[in-house]
Amino acid sequence: MAEQAVPATAREWHLAARPQGWPAPTDFALVEAPVRTPGPGEILVRNTHLSVDPYMRGRMNDVKSYVPPFQLGAAMDGGAVGYVVASEAEGFAPGDAVLHGLGWREYATLDAGNAVKVDPDAAPLSAYLGVLGMPGLTAYAGLLAVGALKEGDKVFVSGAAGAVGSLVGQIARLKGASLVVGSAGSAEKVAKLVDEYGFDAAFNYKDAPVAEQLAKAAPEGIDLYFDNVGGDHLEAAIGALGVHGRAVLCGAIAQYNETTAPAAPRNLAMAIGKRLRLEGMLVRDHAALQPQFVTEVAGWLKSGELRTEETVVDGFENAAEAFIDLLRGVNTGKMVVRLEG
Ligand SMILES: NC(=O)c1ccc[n+]([C@@H]2O[C@H](COP(=O)([O-])OP(=O)(O)OC[C@H]3O[C@@H](n4cnc5c(N)ncnc54)[C@H](OP(=O)(O)O)[C@@H]3O)[C@@H](O)[C@H]2O)c1
């Protein structure tokens, strides 16, 4: 690729304030900062796509969690892909495409050990932030390793039109689930799940109580629930799960902007009588599945058996708005910010 001059300064997004409840654009600040020349073992990357993900909302709070909080007045970070423009690291050369963790900025200088080379000819670069990246592995490992999906299982997934959920439903179908039900937040998303992604049934959780709609979609109940939402979705799933049913607790997005504890699930004690297994998961525990995941998912993409979608927001200056829109459900499939094509 053509050599490009590296500017002396470039933009990065800082956390300006910690939100109470829903984040606002004023909680973020766009800051011009020096682009640091790489030292020994480091590379300088020009980011082409940034990931905005629901877990970043938790990092805006000053609480101890499985990922450290963003620091006030400092650059935020997260998944990104781009091209190496300068390298002081063995095995990395200008023009190499890489995936790394210093998103929310136009240029990133980082230890090459924290970057992974990716093949821009095998898939569009942004796919490494979505279907072939962290959300893809979350769906694959959550459903197969944690949820132990079996052929014939009746599966329900919430957040079903999102990056993780849309893959969970399709992988369940490809692996022989006998029923795949999804919930999402608009009529358009619901139609897409059934018409394009091959779900057997789907419903808009805003139309009527989740338990009521789930009972209609899965009258004989479910064996496996993949939870992206928490709250009343989890309560409805506990009600619908049969004896020895399993729930994969992947996310609880309905709670991320709430300032009070959720009312549901109120029926957790049913887990005893039904001998349910409710298991939390973190994708980072499943790195060992990465090669198997990439091989199998890339195969399904090539054969056309797996459909994916991205919601692409153009312009680095729109990243904060894109993140807020993700929490609002503006996206279908993976939400990415494109800095350049
Ligand atoms: N445990 C892990 O390692 C791990 C890894 C990755 C992701 N996750 C979790 O997986 C979930 C999905 O992540 P993703 O990256 O695929 O995001 P995503 O589903 O692509 O985007 C978030 C979606 O959440 C939905 N949503 C927002 N508020 C909601 C509410 N109150 N009730 C129901 N749905 C709501 C919106 O869609 P609607 O229009 O349908 O409302 C929105 O599009 C999140 O909970 C995330 O935290 C966990």
Side-chain angles (χ1 to χ4, degrees), residues 54 138 162-164 185 189 205 228 250-251 256 281-283 326-327 329 331:
T138 303
V164 174
K189 289 184 182 184
Y205 64 86
N228 287 316
C250 174
Y256 295 173
M281 73 157 292
L282 282 182
V283 62
L326 166 82
L327 298 175
N331 64 307

Side-chain angles (χ1 to χ4, degrees), residues 136-145 171 175 289 292-293 296-297 300:
L137 182 60
T138 303
Y140 187 86
L143 187 66
L144 304 181
I171 295 172
K175 290 282 186 183
L289 272 179
Q292 179 188 327
F293 150 70
E296 198 159 19
V297 168
W300 287 326

